[in-house]
Amino acid sequence: MAAEIIEFPERRPQDRLVFSVAQLEAMVREVERVAADDPEAGLDRLLAATERIGQQLVDLADLLLDEVTRLQAQSAFESLAEKIAETRETFDQLGGRKST
């Protein structure tokens, strides 16, 4: 039995960019849908989606920006993640969190 080596095409940076943008678009559609359906009940889902969008933007920054600017973007989104955590904590303390 002869073994055949299969070579898979290398993923180019453009492929990663297209994939990342597509994921970002899907996340934005999810946020729009949740916000339209019931924003109060979906707050936790909206915050989680915001976190995922932030991470996706950091991934895109890695593909598009120089090192200094990429690090600035990463720092900004880390700050956003901290603010989201504070928002969740405040909402929990107010007793307003609903299960989703």
Side-chain angles (χ1 to χ4, degrees), residues 17-76:
L17 180 60
V18 169
F19 180 73
S20 290
V21 169
Q23 283 186 314
L24 187 58
E25 289 173 346
M27 289 177 203
V28 169
R29 282 191 301 275
E30 176 188 350
V31 169
E32 290 171 342
R33 183 183 50 73
V34 169
D37 290 347
D38 188 358
E40 185 179 332
L43 180 65
D44 191 50
R45 289 175 34 204
L46 290 171
L47 292 173
T50 302
E51 286 176 315
R52 289 194 315 274
I53 289 170
Q55 184 56 50
Q56 193 63 39
L57 289 171
V58 168
D59 292 346
L60 284 168
D62 188 46
L63 294 171
L64 300 172
L65 304 175
D66 61 66
E67 183 69 17
V68 172
T69 310
R70 184 183 61 77
L71 291 174
Q72 290 173 343
Q74 186 173 4
S75 176

